[in-house]
Amino acid sequence: MEEVLRVENVNAGYGELHILFDVSAKVYRGQITTVVGPNGSGKSTFLKTVFGLSSIYSGKIIYEGEDVTDVPPHEKTKLGIAYLPQTDSVFVNLSVEENLKIAGYILEKDEVQERIELALSVFPELRKHLKRKAGHLSGGERQFLAIATVLVRKARLLMLDEPTAQLSPKFAETIFSKVQELRERFGLTILLVEQNVKRALEISDRAYMLISGRVVFEGDAKSLLSHEKFEKYCMGIGVEEVS
Ligand SMILES: Nc1ncnc2c1ncn2[C@@H]1O[C@H](COP(=O)(O)OP(=O)(O)OP(=O)(O)O)[C@@H](O)[C@H]1O
Ligand SMILES: [Mg+2]
């Protein structure tokens, strides 16, 4: 299995505030890897650290075989890493179509329309809204647009931070099936953080559990799902090794 991302013994945080302790993780090409853990355990910080939005005190981030520990976020975007944060990640004052076109700015011009068509084949729901301002979409549609922009710009590693937060169960389920479609149709590698732990693990290949900024479980997503202490760990009870 080809490694897309390797995080090696990373200690990171915000300024002096140490959040992640000796975190190591691997993400394989074409897989969905999910990070779970209680509130405040460092899941978002983990994604931000990979993208270059926190302070890394020690350790390494290796992406497609290159050391990218000190590479800033805008350069990581060019390398094919996409990060969709917990909050809105579209331009609300621009139309859906403009958002999609901007996403393609690093591509050759004639390639952009082709990629937009491809993205719209995954998110046909957006087609009727192309001229609407992104700010006027529903939360679910905005999430569709955010993921569609990632497809336009040909990202190879997609990091999603709670893409189903605040969505209706119906929209949340649609997001889960779209994420699966991205892996199946395009072989996209996905690193997911989810509160909807059960559903996320069901569609995932591998999983990590973080508690208080430390990895307490690493392995097969299904084995975490069927772990006898799973329910307890989901509530953040117990910090000893899960596996
Ligand atoms: N920008 C920041 N500056 C300082 N501290 C931060 C910052 N962002 C997060 N933290 C702190 O880092 C810790 C881990 O937060 P993080 O957002 O990574 O957790 P999380 O697992 O994503 O939680 P949640 O499930 O609530 O999204 C928390 O104590 C939080 O207060
Ligand atoms: Mg978070």
Side-chain angles (χ1 to χ4, degrees), residues 44 47-48 51 53 77 81-86 89 150 153 157-161:
S44 296
L47 297 188
K48 284 190 260 181
F51 201 55
L53 294 169
T77 302
I81 303 180
Y83 161 64
L84 298 185
Q86 255 172 296
S89 33
V150 169
R153 62 183 145 101
L157 172 63
L158 169 57
M159 299 194 287
L160 292 166
D161 198 347

Side-chain angles (χ1 to χ4, degrees), residues 2-7 27-30 50 61-69 75-82 154-158 187-189:
E2 187 193 346
E3 255 175 47
V4 173
L5 180 73
R6 190 164 83 238
V7 174
V27 173
Y28 295 104
R29 173 113 28 229
V50 171
I61 314 280
I62 312 288
Y63 169 72
E64 294 184 339
E66 303 280 327
D67 187 338
V68 296
T69 315
E75 293 292 332
K76 288 210 177 92
T77 302
K78 289 185 198 156
L79 296 175
I81 303 180
K154 290 184 164 176
R156 299 192 289 279
L157 172 63
L158 169 57
L188 198 61
T189 307

